[in-house]
Amino acid sequence: MTKYKLVCFDLDGTLIENVKFSWQIFHDYFQTDAHRREDARNKFFNGRISYAEWAMHDMSLWKEKNAKKEEFFKAISHLKLMDGAMETLNELKRKGLRLAIISGSINILLEKVIPNYEDIFDDIFLSRIYFDNEGNISQMKVTEYDVEKKAEALKLIAQRENISLKECVFVGDYLNDIKVMEEAGLGIAFNCQEEKLKEVADVVIEKKDLREVLRHILD
Ligand SMILES: [Mg+2]
């Protein structure tokens, strides 16, 4: 038996190699209003609106532009799954570990890089866009579990599954992963350029191959 029972991954920059902020890709592609975005961003960081309100504000800007499903996928056609990601996920699964995504990213990106993601992850926390048959946005659901609240998502899964936080692993790359990494028994900073995250991580992996996490989790 391994020491760990649950492994949670961030998406942007961790499972997906070449993206730091997925939302920015769509803002650029659909050319949304920078001033309105800046205003909502400031409101969030000043504590005047919640993360979910901020996310819904920004997502609504795409709907206003009548953004189509095929355009969303065109905007992210250059995105690549991290090297070694599938081998890593399959191996952890084979060993009986529970897998989760805790991310502020969007379901479209996950679908693009791991089409069979429903078969692999037991829990998925991210924001979602759904389309109707004509490819128009039919529904938008935003996650509230980003930034500090990623830690709450980790606790939700752990409590429900009767897993102690010591038995949880979090793998992430950016500042929004700091809090959740502090809570998890094993924090792995991966593909990380942020000194603050490296400081709270138990392990820092410089090589851009996700298989590098396996020996830290399974040994
Ligand atoms: Mg990230």
Side-chain angles (χ1 to χ4, degrees):
M1 273 304 277
T2 61
K3 228 159 105 180
Y4 302 104
K5 293 183 176 162
L6 168 67
V7 186
C8 304
F9 292 88
D10 166 58
L11 188 58
D12 296 355
T14 303
L15 286 175
I16 302 178
E17 188 199 318
N18 51 340
V19 63
K20 207 167 202 176
F21 306 110
S22 52
W23 292 68
Q24 190 63 43
I25 296 178
F26 299 126
H27 286 313
D28 291 342
Y29 191 90
F30 298 116
Q31 299 186 12
T32 55
D33 188 324
H35 293 290
R36 287 168 69 191
R37 267 165 34 215
E38 184 66 20
D39 185 47
R41 188 179 181 279
N42 290 338
K43 278 185 180 150
F44 168 68
F45 282 104
N46 295 330
R48 282 152 62 207
I49 58 173
S50 68
Y51 176 83
E53 285 170 320
W54 177 31
M56 188 52 91
H57 171 274
D58 275 28
M59 213 177 242
S60 300
L61 296 176
W62 307 332
K63 194 170 161 79
E64 264 180 40
K65 296 271 180 181
N66 291 317
K68 294 270 196 291
K69 182 178 182 179
E70 60 176 57
E71 294 177 300
F72 278 96
F73 279 93
K74 208 167 154 192
I76 57 165
S77 60
H78 62 292
L79 294 189
K80 281 184 8 203
L81 188 63
M82 185 61 72
D83 279 348
M86 284 326 294
E87 294 89 338
T88 303
L89 295 170
N90 287 329
E91 179 64 7
L92 292 172
K93 231 179 145 51
R94 204 176 64 80
K95 291 269 159 79
L97 280 80
R98 195 176 174 89
L99 300 181
I101 285 186
I102 302 176
S103 162
S105 188
I106 302 162
N107 61 337
I108 300 168
L109 281 85
L110 182 56
E111 201 177 315
K112 146 88 183 151
V113 294
I114 309 178
N116 64 332
Y117 67 90
E118 304 267 11
D119 303 329
I120 292 169
F121 296 98
D122 303 286
D123 282 287
I124 300 171
F125 290 82
L126 40 61
S127 286
R128 294 165 192 269
I129 299 178
Y130 299 100
F131 301 94
D132 64 20
N133 290 337
E134 274 81 53
N136 296 306
I137 295 174
S138 59
Q139 208 189 350
M140 304 183 289
K141 281 188 181 172
V142 292
T143 181
E144 57 177 306
Y145 301 102
D146 196 0
V147 203
E148 309 266 289
K149 284 194 171 184
K150 281 193 174 197
E152 282 185 32
L154 174 74
K155 288 176 189 168
L156 276 178
I157 305 170
Q159 270 168 21
R160 188 213 313 132
E161 302 302 323
N162 231 336
I163 297 171
S164 82
L165 289 175
K166 280 200 178 83
E167 298 168 311
C168 298
V169 182
F170 190 88
V171 186
D173 73 310
Y174 193 64
L175 299 173
N176 58 342
D177 301 317
I178 288 178
K179 184 94 167 88
V180 65
M181 215 172 264
E182 284 172 340
E183 298 286 346
L186 176 65
I188 302 178
F190 179 82
N191 189 28
C192 175
Q193 264 89 54
E194 303 295 337
E195 287 307 317
K196 278 187 180 162
L197 184 69
K198 289 181 183 179
E199 278 166 26
V200 303
D202 301 293
V203 174
V204 177
I205 293 175
E206 300 290 352
K207 192 178 171 190
K208 270 174 94 168
D209 186 324
L210 208 59
R211 281 168 286 206
E212 294 289 312
V213 306
L214 286 173
R215 63 196 167 94
H216 299 286
I217 299 171
L218 297 176
D219 281 0

